[in-house]
Amino acid sequence: MLEVAKRAAAAGAAVLAGRSAEALQASNKGDAGDWVTAFDVAAEHAVRDVISASRPNDSITGEEHGTTRPAEATGYRWSIDPLDGTTNFIRNIVYYGTSVAVADANGVWLAGVVNAPALGRVYYAARGEGAWLEECGALTRLQGPVPGRKGQILATGFNYDPQVRSEQAAQFAELLEGFADVRRLGSAALDLCLVADGTQDAFGERGLNEHDFAAGALIAEEAGCWVRRPRLTSPLDGGPSDQERLDAWTCAASLELSGKFPL
């Protein structure tokens, strides 16, 4: 499963690596700032092609093309985000990538990959096998943030909806208490990976979609981090609703920081 995930994420990332300002074809999906480009669509096709060729009877749920469930489904399901960090991609900010994860019939995440072509990094994990980073030909096992270090950094993100963003802003001061600084990179998948590799000490964001966190949360978990995933209705069952998603937090940190986040 991990090898398929790595190949699929690499196929999506290869599309993103061909970024061209002239070929973006950016359009807005509804909320101000929620963009989709021709590269999102092409990258998802590339990811799906790899998965379907290797695992033709697995279900796939993706950000751009919804749900594909074969007639004789295996019970395994792939959750893909072909381009996490679309606004960054449009503006040529390097924090974006392709996220691919797979879960079993019970919803247990088995493998996840986040391939960030502009950073030259591939983060990945398989359940029970640890989390790893491939960069510049080197392979590094990830072990999460350094406990108790000074100057701890919190990563977070904000919703596109103005009302929800206002609520988040009102809560932000309390959330930031105890941290030295904050980062807002614009890619939840990479934020989770940067907690896994210890660059950031904690990440918490309200209102994420499953495809935003599926791979990154497993990578952080396998790096030894405390992780909280939202309990969202599966896309196979038509969920989640917007309200269900907005009510839930996705978090990752060292265990000592787990109490910093709202329940």
Side-chain angles (χ1 to χ4, degrees), residues 125-197:
R127 180 157 297 279
E129 300 295 332
W132 303 84
L133 167 63
E134 292 180 4
E135 183 179 20
C136 299
L139 182 63
T140 304
R141 184 159 189 165
L142 306 181
Q143 298 181 313
V146 177
R149 67 179 167 187
K150 296 185 182 298
Q152 290 177 323
I153 291 175
L154 167 69
T156 191
F158 298 93
N159 197 269
Y160 296 119
D161 181 89
Q163 181 176 343
V164 176
R165 194 165 57 243
S166 294
E167 295 171 7
Q168 291 173 311
Q171 193 176 36
F172 182 66
E174 181 180 352
L175 187 64
L176 188 56
E177 186 176 349
F179 290 96
D181 209 342
V182 65
R183 295 293 181 271
R184 196 273 193 263
L185 300 183
S187 167
L190 282 170
D191 273 324
L192 288 160
C193 291
L194 291 175
V195 174
D197 73 12

Side-chain angles (χ1 to χ4, degrees), residues 42 53 60 74-75 96 102:
I60 302 174
T74 61
Y96 59 81
V102 59

Side-chain angles (χ1 to χ4, degrees), residues 211-236:
H211 54 253
D212 295 318
F213 65 76
L218 179 62
I219 292 165
E221 193 171 58
E222 285 294 320
C225 301
W226 166 83
V227 172
R228 185 203 299 164
R229 296 176 182 82
R231 296 180 179 179
L232 303 175
T233 302
S234 169
L236 293 179

